[in-house]
């Protein structure tokens, strides 16, 4: 796995190499992680893009490119006329996020009675006076 000349290696390189040549690490566990992770990415004209549900493709940036993109978003043509919310939305597209855990923190337990509140009663109005 060789990084391009003059560019430090980062997380993009193994995924890009795998998509270009099918390369996998020697460690079986790391190879499986890389192949599963690479399924979320596409290589288009030599550039790595992450597939997204909301936006079609998100361009993967190296650390130096991220600094330049954030600088352009804050001080460049984008930062002068965008409001706070729109600028924040543009910047979050540049960030890399961890996957969302959709499992509950504890094991789910079932309720023993099918209608849990059927055994309880409430007297809201009190006793009625019979005349």
């Amino acid at each position: 796995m060789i990084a391009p000349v003059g560019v430090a290696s980062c997380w993009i390189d193994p995924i890009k190499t795998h998509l270009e040549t099918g390369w996998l690490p020697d460690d079986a566990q790391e190879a499986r992680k890389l192949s599963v992770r690479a399924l979320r990415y596409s290589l288009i004209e030599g550039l790595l893009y992450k597939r997204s549900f909301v936006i079609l493709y998100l361009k993967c940036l190296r650390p130096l490119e991220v600094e330049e993109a954030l600088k352009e978003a804050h001080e460049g043509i984008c930062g002068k006329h965008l409001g706070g919310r729109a600028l924040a939305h543009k910047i979050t597209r540049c960030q890399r996020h961890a996957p969302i855990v959709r499992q509950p923190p504890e094991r789910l337990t079932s309720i023993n009675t099918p209608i849990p509140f059927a055994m309880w009663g409430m007297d809201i109005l009190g006793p009625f006076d019979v005349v």
Side-chain angles (χ1 to χ4, degrees), residues 122-129:
M122 296 179 85
D123 188 12
I124 297 172
L125 299 175
F128 293 112
D129 294 332

Short mmCIF file of all heavy atoms in Angstrom, two decimals, residues 122-129:
data_model
loop_
_atom_site.label_atom_id
_atom_site.label_comp_id
_atom_site.label_asym_id
_atom_site.label_seq_id
_atom_site.Cartn_x
_atom_site.Cartn_y
_atom_site.Cartn_z
N MET A 122 -59.08 3.55 39.13
CA MET A 122 -58.99 4.87 39.73
C MET A 122 -60.40 5.43 39.89
O MET A 122 -61.23 5.30 39.01
CB MET A 122 -58.16 5.82 38.85
CG MET A 122 -56.71 5.38 38.72
SD MET A 122 -55.78 6.49 37.68
CE MET A 122 -55.33 7.71 38.87
N ASP A 123 -60.65 6.02 41.04
CA ASP A 123 -61.92 6.65 41.30
C ASP A 123 -61.73 8.15 41.20
O ASP A 123 -61.32 8.82 42.15
CB ASP A 123 -62.42 6.23 42.69
CG ASP A 123 -63.85 6.70 42.94
OD1 ASP A 123 -64.50 7.14 41.97
OD2 ASP A 123 -64.29 6.61 44.09
N ILE A 124 -61.99 8.70 40.02
CA ILE A 124 -61.72 10.13 39.78
C ILE A 124 -62.82 11.00 40.38
O ILE A 124 -62.56 12.03 40.98
CB ILE A 124 -61.60 10.40 38.26
CG1 ILE A 124 -60.41 9.61 37.71
CG2 ILE A 124 -61.42 11.89 37.99
CD1 ILE A 124 -60.29 9.64 36.22
N LEU A 125 -64.08 10.58 40.24
CA LEU A 125 -65.20 11.41 40.68
C LEU A 125 -65.62 11.17 42.13
O LEU A 125 -66.33 11.98 42.70
CB LEU A 125 -66.40 11.19 39.76
CG LEU A 125 -66.17 11.55 38.30
CD1 LEU A 125 -67.39 11.17 37.48
CD2 LEU A 125 -65.88 13.02 38.15
N GLY A 126 -65.22 10.08 42.73
CA GLY A 126 -65.61 9.80 44.11
C GLY A 126 -66.96 9.12 44.16
O GLY A 126 -67.61 8.88 43.13
N PRO A 127 -67.48 8.82 45.37
CA PRO A 127 -68.77 8.14 45.47
C PRO A 127 -69.90 9.12 45.09
O PRO A 127 -69.87 10.30 45.39
CB PRO A 127 -68.84 7.73 46.92
CG PRO A 127 -67.91 8.63 47.64
CD PRO A 127 -66.84 9.01 46.66
N PHE A 128 -70.96 8.57 44.43
CA PHE A 128 -72.13 9.37 44.05
C PHE A 128 -73.15 9.34 45.18
O PHE A 128 -73.38 8.32 45.81
CB PHE A 128 -72.77 8.83 42.75
CG PHE A 128 -71.90 9.01 41.55
CD1 PHE A 128 -71.33 7.93 40.89
CD2 PHE A 128 -71.67 10.28 41.04
CE1 PHE A 128 -70.56 8.10 39.78
CE2 PHE A 128 -70.88 10.47 39.91
CZ PHE A 128 -70.31 9.37 39.27
N ASP A 129 -73.76 10.48 45.45
CA ASP A 129 -74.84 10.57 46.45
C ASP A 129 -76.13 10.10 45.79
O ASP A 129 -76.53 10.60 44.74
CB ASP A 129 -75.00 11.99 46.96
CG ASP A 129 -73.78 12.44 47.75
OD1 ASP A 129 -73.13 11.56 48.33
OD2 ASP A 129 -73.50 13.65 47.76
#
